[in-house]
Amino acid sequence: MNRLVRAETRRLLRHPLALTLAALFVFGSLYCAWVSQNMASYNIQQVQSNLDFLPASCESKQNTPEQRARCLADVPLQAAGLERIQDRFVAEGVRAAQAQHPAGALLWTVRLLTSVPGLALLVMLAAFSVAGEWSRGSIVPLLLYESRLSRLLAAKALAVWVWSLALLCASGAVTAAFGLLYGRGAYPLPSPGALGSVLADTALGVLAGAAVLAGAAAVAVALAALLRHPMRTFLAGMLLLVLVVRTSAVPALGAWLPGGALADLVGFGAVDGVWDHFWISTDPSTVPALLRVLPTLAFIGLLWLGLDRFNRTRDRA
């Protein structure tokens, strides 16, 4: 099994489509990091400038003494409103500043990879590298080497998972380099926190993200093996992804469905707004996310059991 996994991983890492999708994700993640840092820094500077200018704005020569007095009386109320806006912008700046931290950049990247853009890449990769082998007929020599289809599919799922982890490391390194070499100087932002807290959050986020990517790889490969056609697999996978996203906010039930449970597990509520709007739940649950993931794990297990039985029946026919 280990030899089979290594062989499938090497094939996938050299696959032209896998390399193309990896490059697209790295540049897309870098663009999102740049946009979030730029916007967060600009917003913080603008609201601070407005707060600093607020008292001086009442000293205009065109204002009469009465108008100046009324303006100064309204300054505390206007300042309170601007301070509330500033608090929100600072919170967004702290999240964006993760991409400027050597470890925080990995957390920032894993949340993008486990959101809609990254999961769509996994579906596309499984569709054209796994289901494509049936449409091209290249699955035949692989089955001559490993006659048990379940073991071959498990190796392919592990290869897709390893590819996603390698992509996470590469994209996180590029994002961190951009943040350290350019972002910190061009876009000053609040500190993301003490080193210990950033490391702890990153470790938990990466572990949760790796679990989500493993489940997504298993589902994508299972769909590819069931449909055995790249375009059908891609369309079915995207429809399933849309269903997962849209059901994450179902009242009283969304938190237990895959979208809500996995979003809370990874922590999308603390993600930059570039992609956060996909996953925010309107009905949060107090039940631990690890417990709410169990139905999703059961679904994946049943999917693989059904896949094994279905392939045995179809291949005999």
Side-chain angles (χ1 to χ4, degrees), residues 96-113:
Q98 290 177 342
Q100 298 178 351
H101 193 281
L106 196 61
L107 176 62
W108 197 93
T109 305
V110 75
R111 285 171 170 165
L112 178 59
L113 188 57

Side-chain angles (χ1 to χ4, degrees), residues 110 113-114 119 122 157-158 160-162 164-165 168 202-219 258 261-266 268 289-290 293-294 296-297 300:
V110 75
L113 188 57
T114 52
L119 296 181
L122 288 185
L158 286 173
V160 172
W161 182 58
V162 171
S164 67
L165 295 181
L168 168 63
T202 300
L204 291 175
V206 170
L207 287 175
V212 172
L213 291 172
V219 172
L262 298 182
D264 291 341
L265 180 66
V266 179
F268 284 117
L290 288 175
V293 169
L294 294 180
T296 301
L297 295 178
I300 295 175

